[in-house]
Amino acid sequence: MREKESFITLFTNLSADSFSTDDLKKIYRLRWQIEISFRDLKRELGLEHIHGRKKEVVIGEVYAKMTIYNMNSRIRNHVEKRKKTRLRLERAVKRKTERKIDFTFLMAATRSFFWNEGTYTGAGLIKLLERKTESVRPDRPRR
């Protein structure tokens, strides 16, 4: 049985004298991880659909969503540092399944906390987040 052949076409402004094909493939692999990280961040921030057309509006929306993302990251870090949550997450590690706060749920819950008055109290939100975790599976691609 013959091996399946595959081809990759790369366009670059790097000098062919300075970089071999193997060098370019290594650089591309490194860059690809960065692109995946940007795609994941874009998805987490909800930037697939921008609501404005003017440059200033788009920039404002990106900054606003990044601010919300950073705030939620701080909330997640606070919840994960709490003793009760830390103990529960450590027990999950003993079960060979690492757990982390479900960030997608966190984004929705904090949105409800700020814009739907009475949905959560601050303490209620923290308690809910302590229970709402998801498995970390490093060998699987992110959703």
Side-chain angles (χ1 to χ4, degrees):
M1 182 180 211
R2 288 182 47 185
E3 277 190 45
K4 186 176 180 181
E5 291 186 33
S6 64
F7 297 92
I8 298 173
T9 304
L10 298 176
F11 295 92
T12 182
N13 59 356
L14 299 173
S15 167
D17 299 332
S18 301
F19 294 93
S20 69
T21 302
D22 287 335
D23 290 337
L24 292 175
K25 287 178 6 184
K26 287 177 188 172
I27 292 169
Y28 182 76
R29 274 191 215 103
L30 293 171
R31 180 66 192 171
W32 188 248
Q33 292 304 311
I34 293 168
E35 292 297 331
I36 289 171
S37 297
F38 277 124
R39 182 199 64 198
D40 291 345
L41 182 60
K42 190 174 162 183
R43 186 178 298 141
E44 290 282 344
L45 291 174
L47 291 174
E48 286 107 349
H49 308 288
I50 299 290
H51 297 92
R53 292 182 186 253
K54 292 184 179 179
K55 179 180 176 181
E56 295 80 14
V57 174
V58 170
I59 290 170
E61 185 171 350
V62 170
Y63 278 125
K65 288 185 175 188
M66 287 178 69
T67 301
I68 291 169
Y69 180 86
N70 288 333
M71 177 197 66
N72 283 315
S73 293
R74 294 198 60 171
I75 291 170
R76 179 193 57 209
N77 292 341
H78 171 75
V79 171
E80 287 179 345
K81 285 179 183 176
R82 288 174 55 116
K83 184 177 181 179
K84 182 179 176 184
T85 303
R86 194 169 27 85
L87 289 174
R88 200 176 87 240
L89 294 176
E90 286 171 4
R91 276 186 259 128
V93 170
K94 290 177 185 173
R95 291 190 305 258
K96 297 181 182 171
T97 305
E98 186 181 347
R99 309 281 302 172
K100 67 175 184 173
I101 303 296
D102 183 345
F103 201 80
T104 305
F105 178 79
L106 170 63
M107 295 284 279
T110 54
R111 189 177 307 118
S112 292
F113 175 77
F114 286 111
W115 284 278
N116 300 334
E117 191 174 323
T119 304
Y120 300 113
T121 63
L125 178 63
I126 298 296
K127 285 182 182 179
L128 182 64
L129 294 173
E130 287 175 342
R131 293 190 315 267
K132 191 70 175 169
T133 61
E134 61 184 358
S135 295
V136 176
R137 296 186 175 115
D139 56 331
R140 292 189 183 183
R142 290 179 53 127
R143 297 181 251 143

